[in-house]
Amino acid sequence: MDSTEDILTVNNLGLLHLSMGKYSSAEAYLNDALIKRQANKSDSIGYTAILNNLGVLYKNQGKFNESEKYLSNSANLLKETYGENNIQYAIVLNNLAMMNQSVNRIADAEKLMKKAVEITGNNTKEKAQTYVKLNVNLALMY
């Protein structure tokens, strides 16, 4: 069984390739991390992070149905496990809002973004940078 550190490294390689626009290799790394994480269910935050990362990848590729599936799954798991006031949940809602904006579902995007901003506002002391970023994303919608 792969260790949590090994899975994190594979996920990070996927993120690196995603940031460089190397979508094919990013997808391979992220899917590999997802498979390894499924075998090692000890870290649900790690699992939902990989789902989120795949959702962002598919959004960037214009595969919006796939993106929505992964982002929604990540958001639902986070909400069920940690509740609605979790900063990771807010980050996934932000990504889901950005995906909705990409397909011109502006009302849905705005609703999700406002919820993400509200959550991060409740956690400002710990996550001020995220709060500012999400407010900027909300402002850019207008």
Side-chain angles (χ1 to χ4, degrees):
M1 180 180 297
D2 294 289
S3 72
T4 301
E5 293 81 19
D6 293 339
I7 298 166
L8 179 62
T9 299
V10 174
N11 179 64
N12 287 343
L13 283 168
L15 289 175
L16 175 63
H17 284 250
L18 174 61
S19 72
M20 294 187 307
K22 296 180 177 182
Y23 295 145
S24 180
S25 55
E27 184 175 17
Y29 281 120
L30 291 172
N31 278 316
D32 186 37
L34 185 65
I35 290 166
K36 291 175 179 183
R37 179 65 72 195
Q38 286 171 331
N40 180 7
K41 296 263 188 186
S42 64
D43 179 13
S44 58
I45 285 280
Y47 179 72
T48 57
I50 296 167
L51 293 175
N52 177 67
N53 295 339
L54 280 163
V56 170
L57 167 70
Y58 292 132
K59 177 195 140 310
N60 290 355
Q61 291 179 308
K63 297 178 180 178
F64 299 114
N65 289 334
E66 285 294 304
S67 175
E68 185 171 27
K69 180 178 89 173
Y70 282 96
L71 291 171
S72 294
N73 192 2
S74 180
N76 290 335
L77 288 170
L78 284 164
K79 184 178 176 181
E80 289 171 14
T81 306
Y82 301 101
E84 286 191 5
N85 207 25
N86 179 275
I87 198 73
Q88 296 301 329
Y89 177 64
I91 291 168
V92 175
L93 290 181
N94 171 70
N95 291 334
L96 193 52
M98 302 306 280
M99 190 282 308
N100 275 282
Q101 185 179 19
S102 295
V103 295
N104 208 29
R105 293 192 305 226
I106 303 303
D108 292 338
E110 182 179 14
K111 179 181 171 187
L112 290 164
M113 187 60 69
K114 284 182 176 180
K115 181 67 177 170
V117 167
E118 176 188 332
I119 293 166
T120 55
N122 294 336
N123 292 288
T124 314
K125 293 177 185 173
E126 301 153 12
K127 305 293 181 180
Q129 185 177 6
T130 301
Y131 181 70
V132 170
K133 178 183 177 188
L134 296 185
N135 270 295
V136 168
N137 287 347
L138 180 60
L140 290 172
M141 296 179 89
Y142 300 103

